[in-house]
Amino acid sequence: MSFFGLDCMRKKEREVERKIRANDREYNSSFKYATNSIKTSKYNPFTFLPLNLFEQFQRIANAYFLFLLILQVIPEISSLSWFTTVVPLVLVLSVTAAKDATDDINRHRSDRKVNNRKVNVLISGKLTSEKWMNVQVGDIIKLENNQFVTADLLLLSSSEPLNLVYIETAELDGETNLKVKQSLTVTGDMGDNLEALAAFNGEVCCEPPNNRLDRFTGTLTFGTQKYSLDNERVLLRGCTLRNTDWCFGLVLFAGPETKLMQNCGKSTFKRTSIDRLMNVLVLFIFGLLALMCIILAVGNGIWENHAGSKFNAFLPRKENTAFSAFLTFWSYIIILNTVVPISLYVSMEVIRLGNSYYINWDRNMYHARSDTPAEARTTTLNEELGQIKYIFSDKTGTLTQNIMTFNKCSINGKSYGDVIDHYGQRLEITEEMTPVDFSFNRLADPKFFFYDHALVEAMKLELPDVHAFFRLLALCHTVMAEEKKEGDLVYQAQSPDEGALVTAARNFGFVFRSRTPETVTIEEMGIQRSYELLAILDFNNVRKRMSVIVRNPEGKLSLYCKGADTIVYERLHPSCSELMKVTTEHLNEFAGEGLRTLVLAYKDLDEEYFSEWKQRHHESSVALEDREEKLEKLYEEIEKDMMLIGATAIEDKLQDGVAQTIEQLAKAEIKIWVLTGDKQETAENIGYSCNLLREEMNDVFIVEAHSPEEVRQELRDARLKMSPATEQDKFLIPEVILGDTPKVVQDEDVTGDYGLVINGHSLAFALESNMELEFLRTACMCKTVICCRVTPLQKAQVVELVKKYKKAVTLAIGDGANDVSMIKAAHIGVGISGQEGMQAVLSSDFSFAQFRFLQRLLLVHGRWSYLRMCKFLRYFFYKNFTFTFVHFWYAFFCGFSAQTVYDEGFITLYNLVYTALPVLGMSLFDQDVNAGWSLEYPQLYVPGQLSQYFSKRAFMMCALHSWYSSLVLFFVPYAATYDTARDDGKDGADYQSFALITQTCLTVTVCVQLGLDLSYWTVVNHLFVWGSLGMFFIMTFTMYTDGLFRLRPSSFAFIGTARNCLNQPNVWLTVALTALLCVLPVLAHRFFYSQISPTINDKVRYKVRQMKEPAPRPRRPRLTRRSTRRFGYAFSHAHGYGDLVTSGRFLRRPAAARTMGLIPTGRSPGFKPTGRSAGYSPVGREQNPKQKVEPTSLQMFRAVKDSSF
């Protein structure tokens, strides 16, 4: 991968397997493995100049100007000085190079910051602090709590029991739960004994570097034994060590060979679609230029033969006619080069830079809480923001806040969580409301907020049902509790749902304190009670419920169950039917607000029956055949005739404004695809919460097959259901670009709205070359696509697939290192500076703090940038084509002698002074409607997706307009001055007077044309337009004075022409007539089409004028989704976790040492029995939104997934 520099290109042979010997640098260095130094920059001091120039000269216009420069140093054919080309060319190259150098310096700084991090490396039996970049494969390093993992490591030992470590993988896969890794016993026994670790000489034989995050295969040979290694023994770079004091690891892969860097993708040189179109148009312009020069060269040859011979007596010529025509061809190449002036590219860079600053300065995209402004990290892609058709978004941290909150509940038919005023009206909960005071509970979580005081009153009254509700939440889970000091509880949950529920029970007085494989200890209203844990009936995606069987201190046996409502309802006792109806109403209300619901039930068990069931359970758990089926039957048997307690409602909190942003973007015909490493059900729930998926959709297709044939059939069935009449091979259309003919998948008409959800296994098959078109075709027919359980590389592959076959501009947005490859692959990459580090931001083109800012970036800044750039290009081509075509017509009247129609000073200043500022003013300040109306009418964005403002057709119309204007500008002044006399009777038809009149007509006409194109006049625009016209006359009179003529007669030959010519009334009449004739067709065309076929812009601007009101303020309504769909519990909960709990393998140090000070009976000291949402945080830090908090990756508990793909 060239992206990572030369280090990873050194090995010429493909690595088949990797051999590593611990603590033996000499042996490992013989394989020339990569060092741990990373390189994301593109240049170094030696390669910058050649590589940057090579990239810049890939732009055809730059190569053309270089060629032109070479021509201009040949005196036989050049009538202009070479300085006229070399100065602007060097300026353009220098400005672009400076910008590229600045961007790359920032990348170098980022690389240095990472490479210079320190880590303890075991060298010669001692721990030495080394920079990351100096770590080598085979080194043993020591990591401490909250440190980043330096490289891909084989875990050797840790400070935790059973050599477990807890890691957070948010940088890798976006998952934010703490995962568990465990070392081999043979290495774990070394602990932190430096002598034993230094003497360790085990040899690892493993797979070569690859990008698979979910698997690792290898063996460790130590002594005479060989041990198998898998993904559970490996810590990957990008992870963070959590809640583990220390661990030791052996470096397996370093630097660019780590799985994180293998997933980073390759940096590409991004160009906008306008840049690509410009390359095509420049080729066309070159062809047009060559055609004009050939015509004029042939004309020169004919003229030389017929008329030129008559002048030989006065102008002797040595060359023959053919050679004269040849020289004339190249002379006109130089004279007519203004069809593509180099100032065009200078102006484009200035416009892009200016529009980038608008993004940086936009206060409406500034996030005050994190003090994060929006940033345009790349200044060359602004107008591309106005053409986005597909958005590829991460979920965790991008759409969501990574916070699970306990919002509401229903207990014994009564709903809690809403705040009711004195009139019985429900109030909207805001941060200004006073939450319930939990100061009575010394163990309460300070992050927990709840606003319904009625629930606390019920707790104070000790209502049995309320106590049973929270007792179930405190007992029925697999959460681990950590209490490093008295009262400071930290929960580690495999599922964020569980974390939020256990935290809610904790605040309401039922505090989960600790667990052992046989017991669960909780504190009930200040009284500590220990329950015997007899069985955990674990969760899986089929059961969609979890149960525990416990014996309370009084000896009573109970089963507590929580799960999806449809599953639990089937297993309730018939006597619960009335309560079910009321609870169902509450569930529908909760689900209508997008909350994830969960039903709670219990059952008292008979001791004799349970003993017999327990025996059968043990026999089934050790059965060699049909173990799962037998256990499932036993679970079904005991989980029946349960009594309903109530229901909970948890909110997987979206970022502010996500639903509204998605709604706005959908109105702008932008399709949003969610690419997430999360589980399918969790991603679906978020899809419904943020209105990506809706109950009103005709259908939502789920593709989760496990074979290529099944995946193909499911995709085909979905496509045929959406459009039964679709033909198999009629969806591809050729798109010819510079001789290449890639296939483009055309959009197909679909009646109705559909969604598509596909998981990682199916997506792997769908992305194969023989099925990718089937997948793309089906997906593009859907309004929403959600890809679950995808790897970072698969995210990039999906983006590349759309880029390859769809003629559309793509944008990828994410906040973690797992999104980097997707961000780099898309046309536009947007990074969210969230809680998952800065990798996404560093690789992005634009960055900000919240997903909701995306609508302003696209609908306001993107649309304006695209509109301004298109207006600029249309006007620029118009004024320069018009300027150049006049030369063409003049050639027929000057004997094809390559004489210029204008004064040389005017040629020099036309693009530099007379017309530069007005067009820049338009390109920086123009707007058809302001920001408020742009957001009010997202449909204004659609023309940009269709490239209606600037395309090949628009270019041809511009060229035809220029051709017409040049005819008027040449022949009207020609006819007006032909055989005319001045007021004093002198001849008024000389070359210099004609040139000045033509120049004046041209300058006035292009300024009038610009005034017609301007939609938004500002003081700056007035100053630029009228100032440029004034500057033209000032410079004209100045250059045509006697003084300058005396200084340089050859350069200022038009002495007195301005004074003698511009005082004639017929000249000003000619100027007015010419300008009127040039703009009249434009006015007629615009009036006709605005009446017959108005565009969306015409309609909105007319409506705005009719309303005569200021722009509306951006609306941020509270969006609620009314639905009967209920969100099932614990979709991110991993199967098999209950076995870990009961086996004791997962447990941290014994909790007894931390609970020594607890009173076994009676009220705990300080407990005083006296109620919106609870954020669950596994690190136990208080997060008060009204205070400034240090941003950490685990401030609040975030959406959690299990560790397997």
Side-chain angles (χ1 to χ4, degrees):
M1 296 173 67
S2 59
F3 165 60
F4 298 115
L6 301 176
D7 285 342
C8 52
M9 299 297 292
R10 293 182 299 184
K11 298 190 289 294
K12 294 182 180 179
E13 297 181 4
R14 183 180 179 85
E15 191 175 343
V16 177
E17 66 176 8
R18 172 156 294 205
K19 295 182 179 179
I20 305 165
R21 184 180 297 163
N23 293 311
D24 193 341
R25 284 193 169 187
E26 183 179 354
Y27 172 81
N28 297 322
S29 63
S30 64
F31 296 100
K32 297 183 178 180
Y33 296 138
T35 66
N36 203 41
S37 174
I38 64 166
K39 178 176 179 290
T40 60
S41 55
K42 294 166 64 176
Y43 314 109
N44 61 42
F46 301 103
T47 62
F48 173 73
L49 197 58
L51 281 181
N52 189 261
L53 288 177
F54 174 74
E55 285 183 350
Q56 291 202 59
F57 282 115
Q58 286 182 341
R59 183 178 282 170
I60 295 175
N62 286 345
Y64 162 68
F65 289 119
L66 181 64
F67 173 68
L68 200 65
L69 177 62
I70 296 171
L71 288 182
Q72 285 186 294
V73 298
I74 303 174
E76 285 80 7
I77 60 176
S78 177
S79 58
L80 295 174
S81 172
W82 61 275
F83 284 104
T84 59
T85 297
V86 73
V87 173
L89 178 61
V90 170
L91 178 64
V92 170
L93 296 178
S94 300
V95 169
T96 306
K99 180 180 62 63
D100 291 342
T102 303
D103 292 342
D104 208 57
I105 287 171
N106 290 333
R107 285 190 285 264
H108 273 287
R109 287 174 180 165
S110 172
D111 291 344
R112 280 197 299 270
K113 183 178 178 181
V114 173
N115 289 331
N116 290 332
R117 286 175 179 166
K118 295 298 184 70
V119 67
N120 290 322
V121 183
L122 187 62
I123 300 177
S124 302
K126 296 181 180 179
L127 284 175
T128 305
S129 180
E130 290 280 353
K131 294 179 179 179
W132 276 28
M133 62 190 295
N134 297 328
V135 173
Q136 298 181 18
V137 172
D139 287 349
I140 292 179
I141 64 177
K142 180 183 180 181
L143 298 176
E144 296 180 346
N145 193 32
N146 295 327
Q147 276 190 340
F148 289 107
V149 177
T150 309
D152 289 354
L153 307 176
L154 170 64
L155 179 62
L156 298 179
S157 62
S158 83
S159 59
E160 300 304 298
L162 301 175
N163 297 301
L164 298 171
V165 296
Y166 304 92
I167 60 170
E168 179 190 275
T169 61
E171 298 286 355
L172 273 178
D173 53 20
E175 300 185 6
T176 55
N177 58 316
L178 299 183
K179 297 186 177 65
V180 183
K181 302 284 185 177
Q182 186 178 28
S183 71
L184 293 169
T185 304
V186 65
T187 60
D189 291 341
M190 294 187 290
D192 58 351
N193 187 333
L194 297 184
E195 292 183 2
L197 288 164
F200 178 66
N201 62 351
E203 293 190 11
V204 174
C205 182
C206 66
E207 62 188 18
N210 60 76
N211 54 39
R212 290 292 300 272
L213 297 174
D214 59 329
R215 71 172 180 85
F216 175 83
T217 56
T219 58
L220 169 66
T221 304
F222 183 46
T224 58
Q225 298 292 320
K226 182 178 285 190
Y227 304 90
S228 175
L229 301 177
D230 57 23
N231 208 39
E232 296 304 309
R233 318 291 183 193
V234 176
L235 308 182
L236 299 182
R237 178 176 182 141
C239 300
T240 306
L241 195 67
R242 298 291 190 197
N243 302 114
T244 306
D245 292 336
W246 53 262
C247 73
F248 285 88
L250 172 68
V251 177
L252 301 176
F253 303 109
E257 294 177 342
T258 58
K259 290 181 182 286
L260 171 65
M261 299 306 290
Q262 293 278 313
N263 271 284
C264 275
K266 186 166 64 173
S267 277
T268 57
F269 180 64
K270 292 185 177 181
R271 292 184 299 170
T272 67
S273 55
I274 283 186
D275 275 335
R276 293 189 292 271
L277 176 60
M278 283 290 292
N279 273 350
V280 178
L281 296 181
V282 166
L283 285 179
F284 170 80
I285 293 171
F286 289 162
L288 177 63
L289 176 63
L291 177 62
M292 289 193 297
C293 291
I294 289 172
I295 292 172
L296 298 179
V298 171
N300 177 265
I302 296 172
W303 188 89
E304 286 287 345
N305 276 333
H306 289 78
S309 57
K310 301 175 183 177
F311 295 91
N312 281 342
F314 306 101
L315 295 172
R317 300 178 69 94
K318 297 178 182 179
E319 65 273 5
N320 57 33
T321 301
F323 188 65
S324 174
F326 175 76
L327 292 180
T328 300
F329 173 83
W330 294 111
S331 296
Y332 273 111
I333 285 284
I334 296 173
I335 289 175
L336 302 181
N337 77 82
T338 47
V339 286
V340 188
I342 198 164
S343 57
L344 170 67
Y345 289 95
V346 179
S347 302
M348 287 177 71
E349 294 301 323
V350 171
I351 293 165
R352 286 167 171 165
L353 184 64
N355 285 311
S356 297
Y357 278 116
Y358 289 153
I359 295 172
N360 298 342
W361 295 338
D362 192 341
R363 292 186 178 182
N364 291 312
M365 295 172 67
Y366 169 73
H367 191 242
R369 188 180 302 174
S370 61
D371 189 26
T372 306
E375 181 183 5
R377 299 174 54 82
T378 302
T379 60
T380 58
L381 302 173
N382 304 72
E383 68 270 15
E384 196 88 321
L385 292 170
Q387 297 184 275
I388 303 298
K389 182 64 177 177
Y390 290 89
I391 291 177
F392 301 92
S393 174
D394 179 38
K395 182 190 75 67
T396 307
T398 302
L399 299 178
T400 64
Q401 294 184 33
N402 302 332
I403 302 171
M404 286 286 190
T405 59
F406 179 87
N407 268 25
K408 297 180 181 181
C409 61
S410 171
I411 304 175
N412 194 28
K414 180 173 176 57
S415 177
Y416 298 95
D418 290 323
V419 179
I420 309 298
D421 63 10
H422 298 294
Y423 304 102
Q425 299 296 317
R426 185 169 66 178
L427 300 177
E428 183 179 351
I429 295 173
T430 63
E431 290 185 357
E432 287 72 29
M433 280 189 176
T434 304
V436 169
D437 183 9
F438 289 107
S439 59
F440 68 87
N441 184 355
R442 65 186 178 85
L443 295 175
D445 187 342
K447 301 177 300 299
F448 186 95
F449 295 101
F450 201 80
Y451 295 87
D452 186 359
H453 294 260
L455 188 53
V456 174
E457 293 298 321
M459 291 294 299
K460 186 171 66 173
L461 294 173
E462 299 189 1
L463 297 180
D465 292 323
V466 176
H467 280 212
F469 179 90
F470 286 109
R471 184 180 295 113
L472 186 153
L473 294 182
L475 291 172
C476 185
H477 57 79
T478 56
V479 173
M480 300 293 171
E482 180 181 16
E483 190 173 0
K484 291 192 174 181
K485 62 181 180 180
E486 177 67 24
D488 184 14
L489 280 171
V490 176
Y491 292 150
Q492 298 173 9
Q494 181 76 352
S495 160
D497 309 66
E498 287 201 322
L501 293 173
V502 175
T503 301
R506 166 185 174 179
N507 274 59
F508 282 101
F510 283 73
V511 185
F512 167 58
R513 296 297 298 262
S514 63
R515 72 161 69 245
T516 70
E518 295 83 23
T519 63
V520 176
T521 301
I522 66 174
E523 192 170 297
E524 299 182 2
M525 305 299 287
I527 302 175
Q528 182 168 314
R529 293 166 61 86
S530 184
Y531 288 77
E532 184 181 355
L533 181 62
L534 301 174
I536 293 181
L537 282 58
D538 204 6
F539 171 92
N540 64 37
N541 283 333
V542 177
R543 285 171 43 78
K544 294 190 177 180
R545 65 190 185 277
M546 171 196 175
S547 300
V548 295
I549 300 175
V550 297
R551 179 182 283 115
N552 69 12
E554 290 76 30
K556 183 179 178 181
L557 278 174
S558 299
L559 178 146
Y560 293 108
C561 177
K562 62 183 180 182
D565 55 347
T566 54
I567 302 296
V568 175
Y569 276 1
E570 296 172 354
R571 292 159 178 81
L572 294 178
H573 193 275
S575 62
C576 299
S577 57
E578 291 300 320
L579 181 57
M580 277 175 57
K581 293 179 181 178
V582 179
T583 305
T584 300
E585 291 179 5
H586 294 160
L587 286 172
N588 289 336
E589 181 183 341
F590 299 157
E593 298 176 16
L595 304 179
R596 299 175 63 170
T597 57
L598 167 70
V599 169
L600 312 183
Y602 79 100
K603 177 183 180 182
D604 293 329
L605 298 176
D606 177 69
E607 187 76 41
E608 182 179 346
Y609 166 74
F610 176 73
S611 298
E612 184 265 337
W613 182 91
K614 182 73 172 176
Q615 178 62 31
R616 287 187 288 134
H617 178 269
H618 174 71
E619 293 172 358
S620 299
S621 64
V622 297
L624 297 178
E625 295 182 0
D626 302 327
R627 180 185 302 174
E628 295 296 329
E629 289 79 2
K630 292 177 180 178
L631 287 173
E632 182 60 33
K633 288 182 180 178
L634 285 172
Y635 293 167
E636 287 286 342
E637 176 188 321
I638 201 168
E639 291 174 325
K640 65 181 181 181
D641 293 334
M642 295 185 292
M643 304 301 294
L644 179 62
I645 298 178
T648 63
I650 295 175
E651 181 181 4
D652 190 354
K653 287 187 74 69
L654 295 172
Q655 286 192 11
D656 293 340
V658 164
Q660 181 202 5
T661 299
I662 289 173
E663 182 185 28
Q664 291 286 87
L665 296 176
K667 290 179 181 177
E669 299 296 328
I670 298 174
K671 294 187 177 182
I672 300 178
W673 293 20
V674 176
L675 310 179
T676 177
D678 213 336
K679 296 195 70 169
Q680 177 180 320
E681 292 85 352
T682 309
E684 280 187 62
N685 288 340
I686 294 298
Y688 279 100
S689 296
C690 60
N691 290 335
L692 277 170
L693 300 176
R694 301 184 307 278
E695 289 295 316
E696 299 77 31
M697 282 184 164
N698 298 66
D699 202 350
V700 176
F701 304 108
I702 310 293
V703 179
E704 49 187 349
H706 291 84
S707 69
E709 295 76 16
E710 292 174 346
V711 171
R712 186 188 300 275
Q713 189 59 47
E714 289 185 8
L715 289 172
R716 186 171 293 150
D717 291 345
R719 176 170 54 80
L720 292 176
K721 183 171 182 179
M722 288 185 285
S723 182
T726 55
E727 298 183 43
Q728 186 65 26
D729 302 316
K730 297 296 185 182
F731 61 95
L732 291 176
I733 55 175
E735 178 71 16
V736 180
I737 301 177
L738 298 181
D740 191 14
T741 56
K743 295 177 179 178
V744 175
V745 176
Q746 62 183 350
D747 293 330
E748 300 181 61
D749 295 329
V750 178
T751 55
D753 292 346
Y754 296 89
L756 175 68
V757 179
I758 182 169
N759 63 24
H761 293 295
S762 300
L763 185 63
F765 296 124
L767 291 175
E768 292 177 357
S769 57
N770 61 347
M771 207 187 304
E772 60 182 10
L773 285 176
E774 185 74 47
F775 165 65
L776 181 65
R777 192 179 173 192
T778 303
C780 289
M781 296 169 74
C782 299
K783 286 286 186 183
T784 299
V785 178
I786 298 178
C787 302
C788 320
R789 279 296 181 214
V790 295
T791 65
L793 196 63
Q794 282 180 322
K795 291 184 177 184
Q797 289 173 338
V798 172
V799 175
E800 292 285 2
L801 179 63
V802 175
K803 284 177 62 179
K804 180 179 178 182
Y805 289 109
K806 296 294 289 185
K807 192 179 178 182
V809 181
T810 59
L811 179 146
I813 181 170
D815 71 324
N818 58 315
D819 303 313
V820 168
S821 57
M822 171 177 74
I823 285 172
K824 289 180 177 179
H827 293 103
I828 299 287
V830 177
I832 290 185
S833 48
Q835 299 179 11
E836 295 185 19
M838 294 294 288
Q839 279 81 355
V841 170
L842 293 173
S843 301
S844 66
D845 305 305
F846 301 89
S847 67
F848 41 69
Q850 295 277 297
F851 181 84
R852 70 175 186 269
F853 297 147
L854 184 62
Q855 66 170 318
R856 188 168 181 88
L857 181 71
L858 300 186
L859 303 184
V860 178
H861 292 288
R863 198 179 69 83
W864 280 351
S865 295
Y866 174 68
L867 182 64
R868 290 165 179 166
M869 183 61 73
C870 292
K871 278 192 171 185
F872 163 78
L873 290 173
R874 291 201 307 264
Y875 177 76
F876 209 96
F877 280 128
Y878 167 75
K879 74 183 184 69
N880 282 281
F881 280 9
T882 305
F883 174 90
T884 306
F885 289 165
V886 174
H887 275 302
F888 181 76
W889 307 125
Y890 181 67
F892 290 90
F893 293 84
C894 69
F896 306 96
S897 60
Q899 181 185 11
T900 59
V901 68
Y902 311 116
D903 169 31
E904 188 174 314
F906 179 79
I907 295 174
T908 305
L909 299 176
Y910 177 72
N911 279 313
L912 188 64
V913 176
Y914 302 151
T915 60
L917 290 180
V919 71
L920 277 179
M922 177 181 70
S923 306
L924 291 175
F925 302 107
D926 195 36
Q927 47 185 258
D928 52 351
V929 293
N930 60 26
W933 293 114
S934 295
L935 295 172
E936 185 77 7
Y937 294 98
Q939 299 85 351
L940 288 167
Y941 191 82
V942 176
Q945 298 170 333
L946 304 176
S947 299
Q948 290 183 353
Y949 295 142
F950 188 74
S951 59
K952 295 174 185 175
R953 180 180 180 276
F955 173 79
M956 294 305 298
M957 295 297 293
C958 176
L960 288 174
H961 183 204
S962 299
W963 173 79
Y964 164 78
S965 296
S966 67
L967 284 172
V968 174
L969 283 165
F970 179 78
F971 287 103
V972 170
Y974 178 79
T977 56
Y978 188 76
D979 284 342
T980 59
R982 293 164 39 84
D983 292 343
D984 55 8
K986 296 180 180 179
D987 188 9
D990 60 278
Y991 161 71
Q992 293 185 346
S993 298
F994 171 74
L996 178 58
I997 294 172
T998 306
Q999 292 167 190
T1000 307
C1001 290
L1002 175 64
T1003 306
V1004 172
T1005 298
V1006 296
C1007 285
V1008 171
Q1009 181 64 48
L1010 181 131
L1012 291 175
D1013 287 341
L1014 265 175
S1015 303
Y1016 185 63
W1017 282 87
T1018 65
V1019 174
V1020 177
N1021 291 115
H1022 280 288
L1023 180 64
F1024 284 175
V1025 172
W1026 304 118
S1028 294
L1029 275 175
M1031 184 60 68
F1032 166 74
F1033 290 109
I1034 292 171
M1035 294 296 294
T1036 299
F1037 279 99
T1038 302
M1039 289 191 300
Y1040 294 175
T1041 57
D1042 300 350
L1044 290 178
F1045 173 75
R1046 291 192 180 98
L1047 288 175
R1048 297 213 39 187
S1050 60
S1051 299
F1052 303 100
F1054 281 45
I1055 178 173
T1057 305
R1059 184 175 62 252
N1060 295 329
C1061 182
L1062 295 181
N1063 61 0
Q1064 301 299 307
N1066 64 318
V1067 171
W1068 293 104
L1069 182 61
T1070 302
V1071 172
L1073 179 62
T1074 304
L1076 180 62
L1077 289 175
C1078 286
V1079 301
L1080 196 58
V1082 177
L1083 291 172
H1085 177 271
R1086 291 183 183 177
F1087 176 78
F1088 177 77
Y1089 273 93
S1090 65
Q1091 300 300 315
I1092 303 301
S1093 179
T1095 63
I1096 181 66
N1097 299 65
D1098 296 330
K1099 295 175 182 177
V1100 173
R1101 291 180 65 191
Y1102 176 76
K1103 187 171 183 179
V1104 171
R1105 286 195 300 268
Q1106 291 293 107
M1107 294 176 70
K1108 295 182 180 179
E1109 293 179 2
R1113 291 182 176 271
R1115 295 179 301 173
R1116 292 184 59 185
R1118 179 180 175 86
L1119 295 176
T1120 58
R1121 185 182 59 80
R1122 294 295 164 188
S1123 165
T1124 57
R1125 172 187 167 86
R1126 290 192 280 280
F1127 301 98
Y1129 157 72
F1131 284 126
S1132 50
H1133 190 42
H1135 170 63
Y1137 198 51
D1139 294 336
L1140 276 175
V1141 172
T1142 53
S1143 69
R1145 287 181 56 237
F1146 190 76
L1147 297 179
R1148 301 173 59 81
R1149 288 190 175 88
R1154 298 195 296 271
T1155 57
M1156 293 288 289
L1158 295 178
I1159 303 170
T1161 58
R1163 300 287 183 187
S1164 295
F1167 188 92
K1168 302 173 184 178
T1170 37
R1172 175 169 164 157
S1173 60
Y1176 169 68
S1177 169
V1179 294
R1181 299 190 184 95
E1182 180 174 1
Q1183 180 169 353
N1184 188 338
K1186 298 183 180 179
Q1187 299 175 355
K1188 185 174 181 180
V1189 231
E1190 286 295 323
T1192 65
S1193 57
L1194 278 175
Q1195 277 179 322
M1196 301 293 285
F1197 198 85
R1198 299 172 291 186
V1200 180
K1201 292 78 67 176
D1202 67 54
S1203 59
S1204 62
F1205 279 88

